[in-house]
Amino acid sequence: VLLSSLSACTSVVWFGHSPDRRRKVEVLQARNKLQTVKVDGKASRPYDGVGVGALVFSPDSRRLAFPAQRGQRWHVVTDGEEGEPFGGIGEIVFSPDSKHVAYLARRGGRWHVVRDGKVGAPFHGVFRRTLIFSADSARLAALVMAAPGKAQVVVDGVAGPVFSQVVGLTFSRDGKRVAYIGRDKGQARVVVDRKPGPIHDDVSEV
């Protein structure tokens, strides 16, 4: 009945296409303010809200994930299936091979990295646009806030050393190694596979 009422009178909130431009996605809002996501003519169940800014297709255009609100809780809906409820959802990313999905989620004032439905350890925060898969899709890294003013890189759930600032987070081409620049007290070090290198005045690039 609810789906029937939605189709009776809707407006388009947002629309776009998959990376290959073959699939059309629309976020529709009914007169009762409930929203649905419609892909290739098929609509999702209605939600109180849809996080359009985080809606994302997989690289192969076959999968779709988006944040959806029901009451005071948010879920990530992937391929039509809802994930766990959280207080908020951040960035959502697919792996290069489109087989894995990861996202940032807030619960009880702390942030977590969620990979394929598995919720990671809590952190004070996670820096925007630092959630990345390796090129082979096997590994996942994120730059998190260990404490106010303290940053550290977490790779596959394992945390590295703490710095006041971390930049240049990158995987090697084969995905087996990870490196970044850690800065603290006017000094800089290159960290490779969680092992800090020699101290420098500064390092500009890895």
Side-chain angles (χ1 to χ4, degrees):
V1 176
L2 194 54
L3 287 174
S4 298
S5 64
L6 278 169
S7 61
C9 182
T10 59
S11 58
V12 178
V13 175
W14 181 89
F15 72 93
H17 293 85
S18 59
D20 63 6
R21 309 296 295 176
R22 295 182 178 182
R23 307 185 69 190
K24 179 181 179 181
V25 58
E26 297 175 300
V27 178
L28 307 175
Q29 181 167 298
R31 183 176 293 176
N32 60 7
K33 304 300 183 181
L34 293 178
Q35 295 183 345
T36 60
V37 176
K38 189 176 182 180
V39 184
D40 300 335
K42 184 178 180 180
S44 70
R45 64 178 299 174
Y47 293 100
D48 293 319
V50 173
V52 173
L55 184 150
V56 61
F57 271 100
S58 59
D60 65 5
S61 299
R62 295 181 179 181
R63 308 181 67 190
L64 176 71
F66 60 88
Q69 183 183 19
R70 183 182 300 113
Q72 299 300 313
R73 297 296 182 181
W74 285 85
H75 306 257
V76 169
V77 181
T78 307
D79 304 330
E81 298 293 329
E82 293 182 7
E84 289 190 38
F86 292 95
I89 299 296
E91 182 182 11
I92 304 172
V93 297
F94 278 97
S95 59
D97 65 3
S98 302
K99 294 180 179 180
H100 307 282
V101 62
Y103 57 89
L104 308 178
R106 188 182 74 246
R107 175 181 287 165
R110 296 296 183 95
W111 284 87
H112 304 259
V113 175
V114 183
R115 177 179 179 174
D116 294 332
K118 184 178 180 180
V119 183
F123 299 100
H124 282 266
V126 183
F127 293 90
R128 295 182 61 186
R129 301 189 183 282
T130 65
L131 184 63
I132 59 172
F133 278 97
S134 57
D136 63 356
S137 301
R139 310 184 71 190
L140 178 69
L143 175 57
V144 306
M145 186 183 296
K150 298 295 182 180
Q152 66 182 156
V153 172
V154 175
V155 183
D156 300 331
V158 180
V162 177
F163 295 93
S164 59
Q165 183 187 38
V166 171
V167 297
L169 174 61
T170 183
F171 278 102
S172 59
R173 292 182 181 179
D174 62 5
K176 295 181 179 180
R177 310 189 73 186
V178 62
Y180 51 89
I181 301 166
R183 294 179 177 141
D184 199 19
K185 299 179 181 180
Q187 298 175 330
R189 307 176 105 175
V190 174
V191 180
V192 181
D193 302 331
R194 297 196 305 275
K195 297 179 181 179
I199 295 174
H200 302 279
D201 292 336
D202 195 13
V203 179
S204 61
E205 186 178 4
V206 173

